[in-house]
Amino acid sequence: MKGNQKLTLSTAPHFLGRQSIRRDMVLVTLALAFPTGGAIAFFGLRVVWMLATGIIASLLTEWCAKKLRRKPFFMDGSALVTGILLVLVLPPTVPLWMIALGAVFSIGIVKEAFGGLGANIFNPALAGRAFLTVSFAGAMTHWVAPLSTTASAVTTATPLADGFVWTASTSALYKALFLGSVGGSIGETSALLILVGGAMLLAFRVIRWHVPFIYIGTVFIGSWVLGHDPMIQILAGGLMLGAFFMATDYVTSPLTTKGRVVFAVGAGTLTVLIRSFASMPGGVNYSILLMNALTPLIDRYTRTRPLGIPRRQGKKVA
Amino acid sequence: MKRSHVRKFGYIHPPTSKFAADQVSKLAPIPERVVLPLAQHIGKPARLLVEPGDEVRVGERIAEADGFISAHLHASISGVVQPLVTLLSPTSGMPVQGVVIESDGKDQWLEFVPDVDEPFSRKDVIGRIQDAGIVGLGGAAFPTHAKVDRPEGERIHTLLINGAECEPFITSDDRLMIEDSARIVQGARILAELLQVDRIAFCVEENKPLAIAAMRTACDELGLNAEVVSLPSRYPMGAEKTLIHYMLGIEISPGSFPTDVGVVVQNIATAAAIADAVLRGQPMIQRVVTVAGSVRSPSNLIARVGTPACALIAACGGALPGSDRLLFGGPMMGIAQASWNAPTLKSTNCILLLDAPQRIERNCIRCARCIERCPMGLMPQRFVELVKADQTDELDACHLLNCVECGACAYDCPAAIPIVSYIKIGKARVRSLARGGK
């Protein structure tokens, strides 16, 4: 009867849910809108130009890399997220050409040279920042106070550096760090805005709570043990942004919950150690990159237990 | 009931799409011809008993079981036997032989002999189940007599009657429970007495309140001491190992069967067929089939086994334009058919028309959703990696063969990776390696 209508064969499952890479990336971008919006408010319109530079350079690099690799270019949104994240972890004064260079490195070397999204070992934005830090140490550690507290860009130090001076009460410092009136990287100033974005990612189940909370918790406990003020340690610097948006990067973090716990504890410990004993700032940056490198190893030892397979000899399963 | 073992992961919530849920089952028109593949079940294909030109009546045995793990086959319409045809199996896609019966339009039934002796003897019950050619109707199509004929000394403590119809679109079991709960309860009682179980539980998801109520009423009316358990509505719930784990907290190790841990699971349609066979002597010749998806009026039809899919679709007002995917079974695990004439089998619970566009496969982004969704606690992402890298021995070490191919991983894959296809390739390689090949 219906011989004229041809049938298409397909393998099960024959219908798919609404998850897609683009959906994830759009949600991350929307969550990043909170710290990004805050950054524009704190540091002014220059941030818009920085973001535009970062995003355009990222997308162009990806397009060129795909052409060189003879792969189809597809707007999955990952280059967009990398571009925004890279800008958010830079000081507000870096020249635009430096951002573009960082983006070319992030996308071209860290991501595409390893095989594109999914095959990269390191978080592209953080590797890009590390690249810029070692290349241009001066520009990368030039901090200014947010506009909301002072009329002009006054050079300042971050609370994690030795030169930092704070004359008001400690609780006022906590509040300033939480709301975003202390100098730092563009997207790192307001812990509150990052938490709002992170809560959004949690609510949409793009990320799970384990990595950010355990990471931040480890830094809190670790710095308390070493005699630092733990509140300053978790509110200042890149920890919040790193914990919610970088350490949760699917590609470069472990697969299982168990593995993610190991990853978060490791990153937290490294952050405290680098901040306390290393000669360079950037504890969050390097701790996450180091844990990225350990991810394949963590994955190897933190596999799931299949149903019906005993965890170890002796546990009773039928 | 304490369920501390119940995990908070290992399932998905696809849209249920049960558009035929309130459609009362109707008798499908008797087709002009039926095609009955000799291999309708797990095990050896049945041996042909008739010759072209023979006249058969409904219920007449036309092929007999070849060995213990095999099942008889009966004429589902009355008419004249035609020469054997070769067709693509609706389950495996491989060429198989099928008996064709051309209808004489009279629908003459064989006189079935009801069983009058009560209580039934064990041998008699198993014999009647075997005579009726009953196979697992939930989809697996394992010969039922082989499943319930337990060796001496093996103890079965629990009988689970599986009414968890977790695949989207399918409503045939739901309707059977609502409309024919007494038959199911009769079948369950026969099984319970045969297996000497301590506990009988009907397992139905909470999104089928009418079915749960009907089962409770039928148990009360027929005086069967059984629980009707309301399960959470998630996919996959009806998979045998998932159901046993949820209900009893028992994990079944690879290579073991539910009977090894004292449990037998039967689909509700199988239970009803057992009642028909034992109490009325009626063989497996028809069943409820849901016709859903892109058809004008989604329905539940009581269809003769071997009816061509197109005839059932026509009985539901025909296909909507653009539907180019014909499935037997649900959208998660159903099998795509290559022909509109593909005949329904004993185990076919749904004919589904879809026009879902396929998405493009991208790189895995290691989001680990597949791992979170896997009901068997496996790592589907790793299977894909290992299949691509052709590391077959490692696939086996990662318990690939434990996969039930429910498709929960692929359903929620943001990179649209056809994970189940990779797994099927991997399983074929593992099995070939186990046989000594490469």
Side-chain angles (χ1 to χ4, degrees):
Chain A
M1 44 165 284
K2 299 193 196 56
N4 46 356
Q5 166 75 60
K6 278 196 177 148
L7 284 168
T8 308
L9 292 180
S10 59
T11 54
H14 304 275
F15 80 162
L16 301 177
R18 62 205 159 104
Q19 307 284 0
S20 75
I21 296 176
R22 193 183 272 165
R23 179 176 181 270
D24 282 341
M25 295 301 170
V26 166
L27 285 171
V28 173
T29 309
L30 289 177
L32 280 173
F34 294 100
T36 310
I40 296 170
F42 298 141
F43 296 106
L45 273 181
R46 178 160 204 279
V47 173
V48 176
W49 296 115
M50 295 174 73
L51 285 165
T53 310
I55 292 167
I56 291 168
S58 294
L59 288 171
L60 270 179
T61 311
E62 177 157 286
W63 188 83
C64 294
K66 293 285 189 213
K67 287 287 152 225
L68 282 171
R69 294 174 58 219
R70 290 161 211 263
K71 300 271 177 190
F73 175 77
F74 165 66
M75 272 291 279
D76 59 15
S78 68
L80 175 74
V81 168
T82 299
I84 297 173
L85 277 176
L86 176 67
V87 172
L88 290 187
V89 293
L90 297 179
T93 51
V94 291
L96 296 184
W97 64 265
M98 213 179 271
I99 297 174
L101 184 66
V104 170
F105 182 82
S106 289
I107 301 289
I109 306 294
V110 182
K111 198 172 86 173
E112 290 300 325
F114 280 81
L117 180 70
N120 50 306
I121 297 169
F122 295 104
N123 180 301
L126 283 183
R129 181 191 141 125
F131 164 75
L132 291 178
T133 307
V134 295
S135 311
F136 313 102
M140 286 298 292
T141 50
H142 186 248
W143 310 105
V144 291
L147 289 183
S148 50
T149 48
T150 45
S152 59
V154 175
T155 303
T156 171
T158 78
L160 296 178
D162 293 333
F164 181 72
V165 187
W166 185 264
T167 46
S169 70
T170 324
S171 62
L173 176 58
Y174 295 161
K175 197 177 156 207
L177 285 169
F178 189 67
L179 296 176
S181 51
V182 179
S185 294
I186 292 174
E188 298 173 351
T189 39
S190 170
L192 174 67
L193 290 173
I194 297 167
L195 285 172
V196 172
M200 188 193 133
L201 291 185
L202 285 169
F204 281 93
R205 298 199 148 225
V206 179
I207 62 169
R208 291 309 174 95
W209 64 270
H210 307 85
V211 167
F213 283 82
I214 294 174
Y215 185 9
I216 294 169
T218 307
V219 172
F220 187 91
I221 295 168
S223 40
W224 177 73
V225 167
L226 288 181
H228 305 290
D229 182 336
M231 283 307 285
I232 292 178
Q233 292 293 322
I234 64 166
L235 290 174
L239 182 63
M240 287 285 167
L241 194 69
F244 281 98
F245 290 92
M246 314 277 202
T248 53
D249 174 18
Y250 295 144
V251 180
T252 56
S253 67
L255 293 163
T256 63
T257 303
K258 229 187 309 176
R260 288 172 185 171
V261 171
V262 174
F263 180 93
V265 171
T269 311
L270 284 173
T271 300
V272 174
L273 291 177
I274 294 172
R275 280 181 176 179
S276 306
F277 303 111
S279 51
M280 285 273 285
V284 171
N285 192 159
Y286 294 111
S287 73
I288 295 175
L289 287 176
L290 284 167
M291 293 313 289
N292 287 164
L294 286 178
T295 292
L297 193 67
I298 297 172
D299 274 340
R300 197 183 166 85
Y301 291 103
T302 52
R303 294 198 184 141
T304 56
R305 181 183 70 83
L307 201 71
I309 309 288
R311 189 171 298 281
R312 47 186 175 272
Q313 247 32 51
K315 190 184 182 243
K316 194 176 163 278
V317 287
Chain B
M1 203 179 304
K2 224 178 92 192
R3 294 226 165 75
S4 54
H5 59 273
V6 172
R7 300 175 303 172
K8 291 190 179 59
F9 59 92
Y11 50 85
I12 56 172
H13 291 287
T16 53
S17 312
K18 306 231 182 216
F19 302 117
D22 38 18
Q23 298 295 318
V24 177
S25 312
K26 293 176 299 206
L27 284 172
I30 293 164
E32 286 159 27
R33 68 199 307 240
V34 290
V35 181
L36 299 159
L38 292 168
Q40 301 243 344
H41 45 261
I42 291 178
K44 277 186 154 176
R47 264 199 309 258
L48 194 63
L49 295 175
V50 290
E51 284 181 5
D54 285 0
E55 287 191 18
V56 289
R57 282 179 293 169
V58 178
E60 212 164 293
R61 192 181 299 173
I62 53 170
E64 63 174 1
D66 186 5
F68 187 59
I69 312 288
S70 183
H72 300 319
L73 191 59
H74 303 82
S76 55
I77 58 173
S78 66
V80 182
V81 175
Q82 309 293 315
L84 278 180
V85 294
T86 301
L87 71 156
L88 297 182
S89 160
T91 49
S92 69
M94 303 301 279
V96 288
Q97 289 194 306
V99 186
V100 180
I101 301 170
E102 208 71 58
S103 172
D104 58 10
K106 295 182 203 144
D107 196 34
Q108 293 172 300
W109 287 52
L110 206 68
E111 195 93 7
F112 300 136
V113 189
D115 197 328
V116 283
D117 306 333
E118 246 189 286
F120 320 109
S121 80
R122 187 187 143 77
K123 222 178 128 207
D124 187 31
V125 170
I126 293 172
R128 278 182 162 254
I129 291 172
Q130 186 165 16
D131 286 347
I134 298 174
V135 300
L137 299 183
F142 187 78
T144 302
H145 64 269
K147 189 165 174 178
V148 297
D149 188 8
R150 304 315 312 162
E152 199 73 40
E154 187 185 82
R155 216 174 109 45
I156 302 294
H157 52 78
T158 304
L159 172 66
L160 300 179
I161 305 292
N162 189 352
E165 198 169 35
C166 53
E167 274 256 17
F169 291 99
I170 310 179
T171 50
S172 59
D173 285 357
D174 189 12
R175 287 316 304 182
L176 191 68
M177 285 188 277
I178 295 168
E179 294 162 16
D180 241 344
S181 50
R183 259 167 79 214
I184 300 167
V185 170
Q186 286 170 343
R189 193 204 318 260
I190 293 165
L191 281 170
E193 281 169 12
L194 178 69
L195 299 164
Q196 297 288 305
V197 297
D198 309 326
R199 182 178 168 204
I200 312 164
F202 295 91
C203 315
V204 190
E205 297 138 298
E206 62 198 356
N207 64 3
K208 300 176 184 60
L210 291 178
I212 293 174
M215 293 312 302
R216 290 210 168 116
T217 313
C219 286
D220 288 347
E221 278 174 1
L222 294 168
L224 183 73
N225 181 20
E227 304 155 61
V228 179
V229 179
S230 167
L231 307 168
S233 312
R234 40 170 91 149
Y235 177 90
M237 182 49 96
E240 199 167 62
K241 286 180 175 179
T242 315
L243 186 69
I244 291 172
H245 184 248
Y246 181 84
M247 287 293 299
L248 308 166
I250 299 173
E251 298 185 15
I252 296 168
S253 55
S256 294
F257 297 97
T259 47
D260 296 333
V261 295
V263 183
V264 164
V265 182
Q266 286 289 1
N267 173 264
I268 56 122
T270 318
I274 288 170
D276 287 343
V278 175
L279 303 177
R280 289 173 277 282
Q282 181 186 317
M284 182 63 221
I285 46 160
Q286 61 185 18
R287 65 159 301 154
V288 184
V289 178
T290 302
V291 183
S294 315
V295 290
R296 259 189 196 93
S297 43
S299 320
N300 302 291
L301 298 175
I302 301 169
R304 300 291 167 87
V305 174
T307 307
C310 55
L312 293 177
I313 293 166
C316 296
L320 295 176
S323 38
D324 66 341
R325 231 165 282 253
L326 172 64
L327 309 177
F328 276 16
M332 295 301 297
M333 293 185 73
I335 293 155
Q337 303 298 316
S339 160
W340 291 97
N341 288 316
T344 61
L345 306 177
K346 294 173 184 174
S347 55
T348 307
N349 50 10
C350 182
I351 290 176
L352 183 60
L353 278 168
L354 284 183
D355 48 3
Q358 293 298 91
R359 299 213 322 244
I360 299 166
E361 177 181 354
R362 311 231 173 251
N363 267 4
C364 170
I365 56 165
R366 292 171 43 93
C367 68
R369 285 188 180 95
C370 54
I371 298 169
E372 258 172 62
R373 307 294 192 264
C374 179
M376 301 304 289
L378 302 168
M379 299 181 72
Q381 176 268 353
R382 190 157 167 73
F383 295 149
V384 175
E385 266 179 11
L386 291 170
V387 169
K388 283 183 174 171
D390 204 5
Q391 287 181 287
T392 307
D393 42 352
E394 185 62 20
L395 273 174
D396 198 18
C398 290
H399 307 285
L400 175 72
L401 296 182
N402 247 16
C403 168
V404 294
E405 296 176 26
C406 69
C409 49
Y411 176 82
D412 259 345
C413 178
I417 299 170
I419 303 176
V420 181
S421 304
Y422 281 103
I423 287 175
K424 284 182 174 167
I425 294 167
K427 281 185 173 177
R429 287 189 193 156
V430 168
R431 293 199 175 110
S432 125
L433 192 70
R435 280 195 303 268
K438 165 61 216 177

